[in-house]
Amino acid sequence: MSQWIGIESLGFFTSRYALSLRDLAQERGVDPDKYLIGLGQEQMSVPPPGEDVVTLGANAAQRALHDTDRNSIDTLFFATESGVDQSKAAGMYLHRLLDLPATCRVVELKQACYSATAAVQFALALVAQNPRKKMLVVASDIARYGLDTPGEPTQGAGAVALLISADPRLMVLDPVSGVYASEIMDFWRPNYRDEALVDGRYSTRMYLQALCQSWTVYTQNTGRGFADHDRFCYHLPFTRMAEKAHIRLARECGIDPLPRESLDKHIGDSLFYNRMSGNSYSASLYAGLASLLDRCEEDLAGKRVGLFSYGSGCVAEYFSGIVTPGYRSSLRTTEREFMVQDRTLIDYAQYEAFYKRATPIHSGNAEFPVWNTGAYRWVAVRDHKRIYESVP
Ligand code: COA
């Protein structure tokens, strides 16, 4: 690498309301262990009225930018598959809410859960072109499936913001990666639907296939093998998926069986935020990275972390980064862990009420009651215009 470029800061935010999957299991007449052990999920974040990918993303970005000169931000990449408009980028609302400079360009990217990784790659290239500039990547999503469908217990919501710069206080990212793309129908959401459609078991098979394919290209391009990586982060539709993926990757690399203690060491710390907040689609890999950096007791300075990004449809990319010495002083671990632990647990009836909230697609007018949505709130839709405000 000619330059040291990577993640300067990272902000993570998830809804202030969550449903225990034990309660969902009871309501659905399912053994709770199917969700807790079989899927590896404990709670799912449930967005209240007045919260969407804009407010989630703005809250995450605010945390990533707390000591950044906003005039240094060259581009805001907003990655989502829960877009709020067919034309206007959701990031434009953040541009105002976060007081970004008029010289900061804004664009929205989509390719299922993969798009934030495309944004990161574009950001690395832009910083390489002009190392004085910083790029803000915001990945924000709400995972929403039909009530009482197999996907329902894997719902969730969250956002991650990454500041990419030539001052990578958290992690230096290697731009050499392995990409795999193939047009398939494993998960999609037509424009006229609020809930995703998914062929769940097919999507998990395709995820594993894309992992093997992108890993092969990655090893060819970098010359690295399994043992060159100390920790591994995966796209996390549900945390058990990472276990399956890591065992599969180890087998591909001739390690079979992978001892349980190796599995726990390699991926265990990366799973906590997703286990508690559920799937956050484009943000989920990076929520996993936040979890690893926050929770790993061993000092990870100088260690290489493998990163696997998968977006149904499908595009996958395997890449890696090296944790920066002194990274802990740039983390906001206590605040993040508190945010996840300190949510309001709602009961099933409240979950269903939030789920069925009217989306004002046709009327073009609606006012939302006040719920806790962090520092930003989606107040209303008036004359088909979304109105957002900062919460004092
Ligand atoms: N105790 C412990 N484990 C249990 C259990 C119990 N009582 N009951 C079931 N399980 C296990 C199953 O054995 C299975 O584990 P396995 O895959 O290792 O065999 C796991 O729980 C899930 O059970 P399964 O019957 O496969 O669940 P499902 O068919 O209802 O749904 C998904 C699983 C993943 C298909 C579904 O949640 C989904 O569609 N999710 C959305 C799509 C998605 O996340 N795709 C991922 C790729 S991006």
Side-chain angles (χ1 to χ4, degrees), residues 31 33-34 38 145 150-151 154 198 200-201 203-204 237-238 240 244:
D31 180 350
D33 282 348
K34 175 172 177 181
Y145 298 95
T154 69
V198 61
R201 291 188 183 175
S203 78
T204 57
F238 49 95
R240 185 79 201 296
K244 288 172 186 256

Side-chain angles (χ1 to χ4, degrees), residues 176-181 207-226 228-229 232 234 245 248-254 307-309 316-319:
V176 183
S177 67
V179 171
Y180 171 76
Y207 176 117
L208 295 175
Q209 182 180 309
L211 168 64
C212 297
Q213 300 279 359
S214 59
W215 170 263
T216 301
V217 180
Y218 169 77
T219 56
Q220 286 164 357
N221 289 347
T222 62
R224 289 185 205 114
F226 192 81
D228 295 313
H229 304 78
F232 298 77
Y234 289 88
R248 177 65 176 272
L249 185 67
R251 199 166 73 218
E252 282 290 302
C253 298
L307 299 155
F308 175 62
S309 180
E317 185 155 359
Y318 207 98
F319 61 117

Side-chain angles (χ1 to χ4, degrees), residues 45-116:
S45 292
V46 185
E51 183 165 73
D52 68 357
V53 290
V54 171
T55 64
L56 287 165
N59 276 297
Q62 184 205 41
R63 284 161 170 75
L65 296 180
H66 68 285
D67 63 354
T68 303
D69 171 10
R70 295 180 187 200
N71 288 318
S72 63
I73 299 173
D74 176 86
T75 303
L76 163 57
F77 295 96
F78 196 98
T80 188
E81 55 182 298
S82 324
V84 299
D85 193 288
Q86 293 284 23
S87 173
K88 181 171 176 171
M92 284 313 305
Y93 297 108
L94 270 68
H95 190 274
R96 177 175 62 78
L97 293 170
L98 299 169
D99 203 17
L100 296 178
T103 51
C104 171
R105 65 168 79 82
V106 180
V107 68
E108 186 167 310
L109 299 172
K110 176 174 67 186
Q111 185 3 70
C113 305
Y114 165 75
S115 57

